[in-house]
Amino acid sequence: MGKYAQLVIGPAGCGKSTYCNHLYEHCQAIRRSVHVVNLDPAAESFSYPCSLDIRDLVSLEDVMEELSLGPNGGLLYCMEYLEENLHDWLGEELEGYGEEDYLVFDCPGQIELYNHLSVFRSFVDFLKNDGWSVCVVYCLDAHFITDVAKFMAGALQALAAMVKLELPHVNILTKVDLLEDKRHLEDFLFPDPALLLPQLAASTGPRFRQLNGAMAGLLDEFSLVAFLPLDITDEDSIADILGQIDLAIQYGEDAEPRLRDEALGEGADDDDDGGDGGADI
């Protein structure tokens, strides 16, 4: 088997750390090894065991104090410092991981890091050059579907990250369990701009009609943005998401059938002769 990683990104407060914790607990339950890495220099605490921590290299609190920077400027400095030290710090830290290891990177929530700056493109290029198969997991708060304008903005942010990072990409609507009304959820999992455009026009006014049409046309032209729902009260929800990510990065595809079953957490019968027992995901 190879080396695999998830890069968990998305706006601040969208549930990235909750997803990482739920994924970790699910993998523990199915006896699958996973290591969660904190890449947020402003993080204060974790609900999951943290295998690697960027704060061992640089922390936002120290940067703000020593350089008299605000939170946003300090975070940008921290991430640029990470970019400069990818080989020296991250390279050394990853030397302890090899074949059959699976890393989940819990990233900060400033979207400009993914859409405008070079730091995460340099980061994923470093991982790929080191032999890691990487999937981006973009988290968007399901509350966005209650306002079609916010949802369109979130979908365009996801599209920008897909274009910028050029990696296998899985988009997730988080906090679905907190939605009071799920009747229209399916309309946003596979968004059809032609159906959403009238709602967008009604909520933004006539002077934005041309802009709304251009945004809808952009999503329709690429036809790349779709979402998977994450309901942390439903174990099948995280299992379905993990299955899609495994498929995107071909996790376990190069293993023997019995080993592949074990890697996917499905086990194998004692009398299995190692034939075509691979999981269908």
Side-chain angles (χ1 to χ4, degrees):
M1 293 178 61
K3 301 185 292 186
Y4 303 93
Q6 294 184 29
L7 193 66
V8 184
I9 66 175
C14 67
K16 297 184 294 298
S17 294
T18 299
Y19 162 77
C20 291
N21 180 58
H22 193 48
L23 176 67
Y24 177 82
E25 292 179 345
H26 174 75
C27 288
Q28 288 291 103
I30 63 174
R31 294 176 300 161
R32 176 163 159 180
S33 176
V34 64
H35 306 277
V36 186
V37 179
N38 172 49
L39 281 187
D40 186 356
E44 297 180 354
S45 61
F46 312 99
S47 52
Y48 52 78
C50 188
S51 297
L52 295 177
D53 192 343
I54 189 178
R55 296 175 304 173
D56 294 334
L57 172 70
V58 61
S59 73
L60 179 61
E61 183 179 1
D62 291 341
V63 167
M64 291 174 61
E65 181 179 347
E66 294 178 13
L67 301 180
S68 300
L69 294 173
N72 288 333
L75 179 62
L76 294 180
Y77 178 91
C78 290
M79 301 314 293
E80 289 174 350
Y81 190 77
L82 170 64
E83 185 176 16
E84 294 171 358
N85 290 273
L86 283 174
H87 293 272
D88 293 338
W89 178 73
L90 186 63
E92 289 184 6
E93 294 290 345
L94 293 183
E95 286 180 358
Y97 299 91
E99 297 294 320
E100 303 184 19
D101 276 315
Y102 197 114
L103 301 182
V104 179
F105 292 94
D106 187 4
C107 300
Q110 276 64 19
I111 59 174
E112 61 267 27
L113 297 174
Y114 322 116
N115 294 345
H116 306 309
L117 303 180
S118 63
V119 54
F120 273 95
R121 182 54 189 261
S122 299
F123 181 80
V124 298
D125 286 344
F126 175 83
L127 289 178
K128 289 194 296 183
N129 291 335
D130 196 39
W132 294 85
S133 298
V134 187
C135 179
V136 175
V137 179
Y138 191 95
C139 296
L140 188 68
D141 193 325
H143 178 71
F144 276 43
I145 73 173
T146 62
D147 184 335
V148 68
K150 289 177 63 176
F151 175 78
M152 289 289 285
L156 288 171
Q157 290 169 3
L159 178 59
M162 296 170 76
V163 173
K164 179 76 172 179
L165 297 178
E166 296 184 304
L167 286 171
H169 202 105
V170 173
N171 299 308
I172 299 176
L173 275 182
T174 61
K175 308 181 185 179
V176 167
D177 50 296
L178 301 181
L179 285 177
E180 296 181 359
D181 185 0
K182 298 183 176 68
R183 290 177 297 173
H184 303 292
L185 178 61
E186 292 291 334
D187 295 340
F188 295 90
L189 298 181
F190 301 96
D192 183 346
L195 296 178
L196 298 179
L197 190 55
Q199 302 177 49
L200 186 61
S203 66
T204 56
R207 70 179 184 276
F208 294 104
R209 184 175 302 147
Q210 189 172 359
L211 176 61
N212 293 339
M215 291 192 299
L218 184 63
L219 288 178
D220 187 52
E221 179 182 353
F222 278 88
S223 297
L224 292 173
V225 181
F227 292 89
L228 296 172
L230 175 60
D231 181 343
I232 63 172
T233 66
D234 181 4
E235 198 65 21
D236 289 338
S237 174
I238 190 65
D240 291 342
I241 290 171
L242 183 57
Q244 290 295 323
I245 295 170
D246 288 344
L247 187 63
I249 57 177
Q250 297 181 319
Y251 176 77
E253 289 298 313
D254 55 351
E256 293 297 324
R258 178 182 292 273
L259 294 177
R260 181 167 62 245
D261 284 341
E262 293 174 352
L264 294 173
E266 305 207 358
D269 294 334
D270 291 338
D271 59 351
D272 188 2
D273 61 1
D276 53 351
D280 183 13
I281 58 175

